[in-house]
Amino acid sequence: MIKRWIILLLLVQAGAVLALAAGLHHAWRPDWVVPLNPPLTALAYVAAGLAAVLLLRAAISANNFLLSSRAGKGAATPAAHALNPARAASLFLHEFRASLLASSYDMLKPLGLQLQPQARGLPVLLIHGYACNSGYWRPLSARLAQAGISHYGIDLEPPGASIDAYAPQVQAAVEQLCAATGSKQVIIVGHSMGGLVARAWLRRHGAGAVARIVTLGTPHHGTALAHFGPGGNAAQMRHNSAWLAALAASEANLQRGLISSIYSVHDNIVAPQDSGALPGARNLVFGAIGHVALGRHPDILGCTMNEIAAAAGL
């Protein structure tokens, strides 16, 4: 379903580019386009329309940073991760690029089951976040394939369901991955809401089939920006929601010890940003990395692969 939405949004954006190009052609003819032949003139107008759409998307990304900054004022930023102008610019550009690639390319190609010949270690189950699909994991999938690790990116359906409703889908995927690889255990990696889905699954099915859960940018204590999202899962992810409190109350220390929480103090979706810190878990803190970029940033991919290797005994 998410793939269909993405295709629709891409078509809407393409239509907007063409409409803007046509509007410029009829309403604005500066001197510099006169010498050009018609194909080049048309191309110039299309480029101007594309630039306008990209600027709009950049403005949306900037607004997310603004909202998360306001909502996260109470969260302390470690001195080691303080931003200077260059790091701030890099943070924004990397997040904007990651958002474009994820929503316009990666998620058009859902991942599915990726079995490796002569596989090593434990298989990995990849659980995407809110309003995403398994295509989000393509950069990590390439790393896993290079390391010879079998993995499975599932697609959670329907997109607006409660988080608990996804637990049976995760259990079915765990069973399928174990059957396909002959392994008794898996490692789970979840981005954003995917980490909460993994915890909800753990509450229902126990820890027997999982060696490690690695969460990336998961709002373990919720996020203020969830108030802007539709769906029952968004309501559950609101900061300090009753659902999150009940989930935390149900967890034993042994379960928390299975989790590695990787998060950024400059997350532009999870706010306050220290919502990524989960007591009892192994917390790994980064800076100058945005929310979507967590799935493709080299430092995060390297850290995730290290956690997977350690859990698998590689």
Side-chain angles (χ1 to χ4, degrees):
M1 183 178 292
I2 290 294
K3 180 180 176 179
R4 292 197 295 269
W5 288 1
I6 290 170
I7 292 172
L8 178 60
L9 286 172
L10 288 174
L11 290 173
V12 169
Q13 291 176 69
V17 169
L18 295 177
L20 287 167
L24 286 171
H25 173 71
H26 289 290
W28 183 60
R29 301 192 182 192
D31 292 339
W32 59 268
V33 303
V34 173
L36 301 180
N37 60 39
L40 290 178
T41 301
L43 184 61
Y45 285 132
V46 170
L50 178 60
V53 170
L54 290 176
L55 283 173
L56 177 60
R57 293 193 60 166
I60 293 172
S61 186
N63 186 58
N64 287 338
F65 276 105
L66 178 62
L67 291 174
S68 65
S69 176
R70 289 175 175 172
K73 282 185 177 178
T77 301
H81 298 304
L83 292 179
N84 56 34
R87 292 192 80 199
S90 177
L91 164 64
F92 178 80
L93 291 174
H94 276 93
E95 177 65 7
F96 181 52
R97 176 178 178 271
S99 297
L100 287 177
L101 289 173
S103 63
S104 303
Y105 179 73
D106 291 337
M107 288 193 288
L108 291 174
K109 300 185 294 181
L111 204 58
L113 185 61
Q114 304 288 322
L115 298 178
Q116 304 301 312
Q118 300 179 333
R120 305 169 61 239
L122 295 175
V124 176
L125 179 64
L126 303 170
I127 308 178
H128 63 79
Y130 181 78
C132 291
N133 67 16
S134 60
Y136 173 82
W137 293 111
R138 288 210 159 266
L140 180 58
S141 174
R143 289 282 193 106
L144 291 168
Q146 186 178 27
I149 298 173
S150 293
H151 51 284
Y152 182 17
I154 63 171
D155 294 307
L156 303 175
E157 296 287 353
S162 73
I163 292 173
D164 298 286
Y166 298 133
Q169 297 176 45
V170 173
Q171 178 63 17
V174 169
E175 293 173 356
Q176 182 179 353
L177 190 54
C178 286
T181 61
S183 177
K184 294 182 178 179
Q185 285 190 314
V186 303
I187 296 168
I188 294 177
V189 181
H191 174 249
S192 194
M193 183 190 73
L196 296 177
V197 172
R199 288 173 60 194
W201 167 82
L202 190 63
R203 173 171 61 178
R204 178 176 297 188
H205 294 280
V210 64
R212 195 74 182 164
I213 295 174
V214 183
T215 67
L216 309 182
T218 291
H220 290 296
H221 309 283
T223 171
L225 273 68
H227 286 275
F228 300 102
N233 44 18
Q236 290 171 322
M237 288 190 287
R238 292 172 183 170
H239 190 227
N240 290 332
S241 71
W243 185 86
L244 286 168
L247 177 64
S250 71
E251 292 174 324
N253 289 335
L254 176 62
Q255 290 175 312
R256 290 284 182 90
L258 285 171
I259 299 173
S260 296
S261 180
I262 301 172
Y263 68 97
S264 170
V265 295
H266 297 115
D267 196 302
N268 56 312
I269 298 296
V270 175
Q273 285 72 22
D274 58 7
S275 182
L278 185 64
R282 172 174 161 80
N283 293 295
L284 300 160
V285 188
F286 288 80
I289 302 172
H291 189 73
V292 179
L294 289 167
R296 66 186 321 117
H297 194 284
D299 292 347
I300 302 298
L301 293 180
C303 181
T304 302
M305 291 299 296
N306 287 341
E307 293 298 301
I308 290 171
L314 295 176

